[in-house]
Amino acid sequence: MRVRIASLVFLAVGFWAAAHAAPVVTEHVEAELIAARDAAEPGKPLVVALRLKAIPGWHTYWRNPGDSGQPTSIDWKLPAGFAAGAIRWPVPQKLPLGPLANYGYEGEVLLATDIAMPAGAQGPVTLAARAKWLVCNPERCIPESGEFALTLPIGPGKPARWGAAFERINLPRAAPPAEWKLSAWRDGARVLLEVSDAQIRTLSFFPYEEGKVQHAGAQPLERIAGGLRLAIPLAEQPVGVFDRALGILVTEGARAFEIDVPIAGAALASQPGPVPQAKPGVVAPPSLGLALALAFAFVGGLLLNLMPCVLPVLGIKVLGLAKQRSGRAHALLYVMGVVTSFLGLAGLLVALKSAGVALGWGFQLQSPAFIAALAFLFFGLALNLSGVFELGWLAPQTRLAHPHADAFFTGVLAVVVASPCTTPFMGAAMGFAFLESAQTAFFVFAALGIGMALPYAVLAWRTEWLRWLPKPGAWMVRLKQFLAFPLYGTVIWLAWVLGMQAGLDAVVRLLGGLLALGIAAWLAGSMPRVRLAALVLAIVAVAAVVPSTRTSPEPLRSEGMWEPWSNERLAALSVQGKSAFVDFTAAWCITCQVNKKLVLTDAVVERAFRNKGVTLLRADWTREDPEITRALADLGRNGVPVYVLYVPGQPPRLLPELLTREAVIAALADLKEAS
């Protein structure tokens, strides 16, 4: 008897929990996870929904938000064996906003999802989810989110408290009626869609894909023999080729049908055109072309030699030429070392991209362990240049017996030490490379390597040009020692980057490891008998520090006039009709830091931003951030720095990577003064 009573109490508690899952209530939205039935039946799909109820005057968004906004997303956390389907989006409303239009929901909406249950499921079961949505009114947008959990008992169940609401969800039918005959073709700046049904009186098209049609444009309807013809205005600056009318057709009574109709003559839409409208997540890159991309990569490679981490290595090799007068084979092997390394890096990036990993140039610098390893490498090279020890004690015969191997691996080393650097022209070239085919990526990286290797290769090939240098002597030792200081400076910079990524503790551990490495180098250089012990100490120092570096992300905070970037914030500014300037940057990007110090913090530039009412957003890519990676790819870029001016109703404007005060002022010139 007691067991039966306990079972009844348990079931009652389960039913109560299902009916009273706590909602999340914000200032503008009431949200909760609800189920169509009050129990979950094993082996049968369970229909649940995220219920969003916006206060009057506010709205949330459909799967295609229109000219601005962000669709709601749900990240499910389900028991083993359970699987969630896609959101079943109800028919949206068209929400005009001045010259723009959005698609979304005012008031209450249920975003239903089918949850597949295993036949052997035992209860009660708890369904958990994290949801994010953007809620807006005509003046502003606010990104919101919530954590939800819904517990249901196991059993056949019956319609729950929200059962009637589920029945009222206005979902589009999977296909139009069988008697409908649909056809579409391109007619200038519009697509004409014909429906062979003389009974319908109204018709409108809601596209699934963004950037294809004018969302705010009128869709004139013409009655023809045996049906209707709907004219759909194309976007003035379309994103991609609009070759299929994919979306929903809505008729009278808000009846909707999903369609996927090929568009005849759609090839015309693929003709080159201007950059698309500035919309978060849907920005087409400007066309660069292979020839220009190769030229940009070549020039960017040349400029890599001027970076403080590469210049000392190149300088030492030139000093070696002055003493040894190496020949053409030496030059060719150095070029092979550089180009092969760049091709290997291109192959790695292409392979990771094919596997679905979103990466860009400099991705390795988002790893604190890689930053720490680079710091050890540069510190060791600097100690060598300072004369603390000689590399020869590691492999005494390498430089004498195998000068060609020395030339090749010096090229490899040059690429490794160049990895923290991004130069002007490189960003556009890298972006083009990874928007195109794998073959194009290899060509661009090869051009980058040839550009970097060329100055040294020319000197090695034409050794007679070295006669302009003074005769070998004490000046070479002093120059070699001087070249250590840029490397020490690079180590300081890398320690700062590591602190940005992993915190102060990681920097202290790195400094301790560098101290141990310095002691090991001193022992190796001054006490030949303990060189083996010194080598062990150096290996232990690196091994102890590099794995202990872990990313400890902290929430980004406002920095003076600058706010942290997000797609939601950019969408909110677009809705409000405000312009935004986005700085895609990273602590490990030297060009970014130079531009920041010399241009973006310039008093004249800051005053210009204030006078024009431009909101400043900073997208910090120091740590891995898939959202920023996707945003860069949408802009046709694969690395930082990238500077973009967004003006509502206009294409996004990309500024030069090597920023100047004049370039920023010119970009702002057409904006109205802020009131």
Side-chain angles (χ1 to χ4, degrees), residues 241-601:
V241 180
F242 187 25
D243 57 0
R244 305 193 72 84
L246 177 62
I248 60 175
L249 279 179
V250 182
T251 69
E252 58 268 15
R255 291 187 307 138
F257 307 93
E258 288 190 314
I259 65 167
D260 184 1
V261 182
I263 301 173
L268 297 174
S270 64
Q271 297 299 319
V275 179
Q277 294 180 359
K279 289 173 46 181
V282 189
V283 182
S287 179
L288 191 61
L290 179 59
L292 192 56
L294 293 175
F296 277 18
F298 178 79
V299 175
L302 283 173
L303 295 176
L304 275 175
N305 291 292
L306 302 179
M307 295 292 105
C309 41
V310 181
L311 186 61
V313 176
L314 183 63
I316 293 304
K317 292 303 295 179
V318 172
L319 291 178
L321 287 178
K323 290 192 294 184
Q324 299 173 13
R325 304 288 170 174
S326 303
R328 296 181 176 183
H330 195 91
L332 289 174
L333 285 165
Y334 176 79
V335 173
M336 287 177 59
V338 173
V339 174
T340 301
S341 299
F342 272 115
L343 290 178
L345 183 57
L348 175 62
L349 287 170
V350 167
L352 292 173
K353 179 185 175 185
S354 300
V357 181
L359 296 173
W361 175 258
F363 75 95
Q364 67 275 24
L365 296 168
Q366 295 171 337
S367 164
F370 187 82
I371 291 292
L374 274 183
F376 278 112
L377 173 63
F378 286 135
F379 191 63
L381 291 173
L383 291 174
N384 174 253
L385 295 180
S386 296
V388 176
F389 75 102
E390 292 295 331
L391 286 175
W393 68 271
L394 290 173
Q397 303 304 317
T398 300
R399 300 178 66 85
L400 298 177
H402 305 288
H404 291 167
D406 174 63
F408 180 86
F409 285 106
T410 300
V412 175
L413 176 64
V415 175
V416 172
V417 299
S419 62
C421 304
T422 303
T423 65
F425 304 104
M426 272 183 64
M430 295 298 100
F432 176 83
F434 287 99
L435 286 173
E436 302 297 324
S437 65
Q439 183 181 13
T440 299
F442 283 110
F443 279 131
V444 171
F445 270 78
L448 183 64
I450 292 171
M452 181 178 175
L454 185 64
Y456 175 77
V458 169
L459 289 175
W461 191 280
R462 304 296 298 270
T463 53
E464 65 271 17
W465 290 359
L466 295 171
R467 69 178 182 271
W468 299 102
L469 293 176
K471 293 182 179 180
W475 70 271
M476 300 179 73
V477 176
R478 289 193 295 270
L479 178 59
K480 175 183 173 183
Q481 293 172 345
F482 173 78
L483 289 174
F485 292 106
L487 293 179
Y488 288 126
T490 302
V491 173
I492 295 173
W493 167 64
L494 288 169
W496 172 70
V497 174
L498 183 65
M500 296 285 288
Q501 292 179 329
L504 181 60
D505 287 347
V507 176
V508 173
R509 288 193 295 269
L510 175 64
L511 294 177
L514 294 176
L515 175 62
L517 181 62
I519 294 172
W522 174 72
L523 289 173
S526 59
M527 303 179 188
R529 294 181 180 179
V530 296
R531 284 176 176 173
L532 182 59
L535 176 60
V536 172
L537 177 60
I539 294 173
V540 170
V542 176
V545 173
V546 172
S548 66
T549 53
R550 295 288 185 271
T551 302
S552 56
E554 299 176 358
L556 297 176
R557 297 180 175 86
S558 297
E559 181 184 346
M561 296 172 61
W562 294 85
E563 302 177 28
W565 171 92
S566 70
N567 267 321
E568 291 82 1
R569 179 58 174 147
L570 196 58
L573 291 170
S574 176
V575 170
Q576 298 168 34
K578 294 183 178 179
S579 300
F581 182 88
V582 182
D583 170 19
F584 289 91
T585 184
W588 39 261
C589 168
I590 296 177
T591 308
C592 301
Q593 304 310 316
V594 171
N595 288 338
K596 180 179 177 181
K597 296 297 182 185
L598 297 184
V599 180
L600 295 180
T601 57

Side-chain angles (χ1 to χ4, degrees), residues 424 595 641-643 654-660 663-664:
N595 288 338
V642 173
Y643 305 100
L654 289 167
L655 276 69
E657 294 163 0
L658 196 59
L659 209 57
T660 64
V664 177

Side-chain angles (χ1 to χ4, degrees), residues 16-23 32-33 149-151:
W16 182 89
H20 295 84
E32 61 182 320
L33 204 58
L150 179 64
T151 301

